[in-house]
Amino acid sequence: MKKLFISFIIISTFFSCQNEPKEVFSDLVITNANVYTLSWNNPSLDGIPAENAPFKNNKWQFDAQAIAIKNRIIQFVGSNDAIKKYIGDTTKVIDAKQAVIIPGLIESHGHLQELGEKKESINLEGLNKKEIVEIVYKRSLEIPKGEWIIASGWDEAVFANDYPDMIELSNKTPNHPIALIGLRGFGAMGNKLAFEKARITTNTEATDGGEILKDAKGSLQYVLLNHAKNLLVDKIPKQTLEQRIRIMKYGFNELLKLGFTTTHHAGVVKEHMEVYEDLHQKEKLPMRVHAFIAARKHNIELVNEWIEKGPTTDDTSFLQVKAFKAYYDGSLGSRGAEFLEDYSDKKGHTGVGGEAYGFHADMITKVMDKGFQIAIHAIGDKGNRDVLDFYENYFKTNPTSKELRHRVEHAQIVHPDDFSRFSQLNLVASMEPAHAVEDVPWAIDRVGEERMKGAYAWRTLRKHNTTVIFNSDFTGSDPSFFYGMHSAMTKKKRSEEKQWYPEQAFTAEESLRAYTIWAVYASKQEHLTGTIEKGKWADLTFMDVDVLNANPKEILNGAILKTMVNGDIAYEK
């Protein structure tokens, strides 16, 4: 009787397994993985892991081995054994071969078109003055007369005191209009013919805080700083839609190779939006895009269009238009950032900000009234204080707007009295780890040692309970997550041992969160993505390095193996 009963149980179990409802089976299962789900609580404000974090004996432990995905949503996260019941006849199985899997990386402040434009233009990065003139002259010998020559990558900070000789270049290239665009987007240089075609003369006035450089005699030096660059850049012949799509697709592919599943394009103009809308309509966006519309007068047509439409409402859409990018002051390198006191290396000069730089409060207010999130560029301590004042004053009559988690882009140098205001106003500090190491030592020359204590101050902001998110502001800096994480953890340049203000460094966990769940939090989508949990999007990044246990050099040398967007492998090494 006992044997008969056991036989009955075995037979029943067999038929039960055979009759497992098909809806239980997954479309895709990932096995043999080393998974960090990030589903545990945030670390303390000092960076100490939470009590429920998989952190034991001073070492991080992977908290899952396998992931099941159905209908592009994570269905189950657990062990290799537990995942077996989700594998049916039609389930695709990916053997991760011990790859490290984290939530899909977010590039939360960049300029997608610049990746493709840079690829198709002459690269000036790292060149000295003479080399810049020479490489552009050589290109002029290779192309038909009259064709524009575009180059990019000269560093506005490096050349701030001594620019390449554009008059010499003009004499060498009389038959080609030339535009040389700055690395950080805060300057442009050109030859005489380009200035003539752009109708820039000694009588032209620069608006929105821009500057047209002239010599002691009042003659043009053919250098444009801050928003004056648009006087030239906007006159470069417009690309066709097909050309712009090609350029944007290159940018998408580069970000996918770097493990990013979402990008926040900061400063979208009409030409960019046309590409995004075209690809979205055709269901050809390869990754999720948050388009931050440029709140500038030159972009007023697109601004008014979206003020009329209001924010997009479908959170699952690959194209999100819920935010605007505003600009309060200039860059530190070109001495455009606005400070409460004079620049240390230029007495009598405090930079430019506010309406003089193109921050139109009435426009921003209309945008906020329609329910959009705002991300305001602020570099100097006065620029940051004024932005905080703007938000504070708006919230007095519109308190519910605080719930949108508005942003301060860069928050580069903050006065000690203002750090606590970020969290009080529920603002997100959107910052670039690479800038903290690339900008020294010249940043110290600009503001002095005392003000540098409030510069790139991630730890100070966190200690004041501010959400900090990381990005690269590409192409101003290398968008590599591994490079950004190395910068955040060490406060060192790639090949140097000197640390710059290491007390502001982040831990590995904080750095990882700043590129994932905290960036998702900034977009109010933490219920949909940002961690690897049941019910969330299947956006995953596969890599070959244990980013929570590896040393910084190992992280810097890490590689992306796969990038999964919406359950599909969008990139594979």
Side-chain angles (χ1 to χ4, degrees), residues 41-111:
N41 294 346
N42 282 330
S44 72
L45 302 184
D46 289 322
I48 299 172
E51 289 186 5
N52 66 337
F55 186 75
K56 297 178 181 179
N57 300 320
N58 207 35
K59 185 176 181 180
W60 287 95
Q61 314 291 322
F62 299 110
D63 57 332
Q65 296 176 309
I67 304 168
I69 297 166
K70 188 175 182 64
N71 297 326
R72 305 185 182 280
I73 300 295
I74 295 172
Q75 184 182 17
F76 176 82
V77 181
S79 67
N80 284 327
D81 286 337
I83 207 79
K84 291 177 181 177
K85 70 176 184 179
Y86 294 92
I87 301 175
D89 293 339
T90 61
T91 302
K92 179 180 179 181
V93 179
I94 294 177
D95 182 350
K97 298 179 180 178
Q98 305 308 313
V100 174
I101 300 180
I102 62 171
L105 293 171
I106 314 295
E107 209 335 316
S108 57
H109 181 124
H111 311 281

Side-chain angles (χ1 to χ4, degrees), residues 356-399:
Y357 192 71
F359 181 83
H360 302 288
D362 54 342
M363 179 194 296
I364 308 304
T365 298
K366 287 180 182 178
V367 168
M368 295 176 76
D369 287 346
K370 291 292 291 188
F372 284 95
Q373 182 191 59
I374 298 294
I376 305 178
H377 161 116
I379 301 289
D381 57 9
K382 186 178 188 303
N384 276 281
R385 176 170 292 179
D386 287 353
V387 167
L388 294 169
D389 289 344
F390 172 80
Y391 280 129
E392 183 174 343
N393 290 330
Y394 183 83
F395 295 156
K396 287 177 181 178
T397 53
N398 302 273

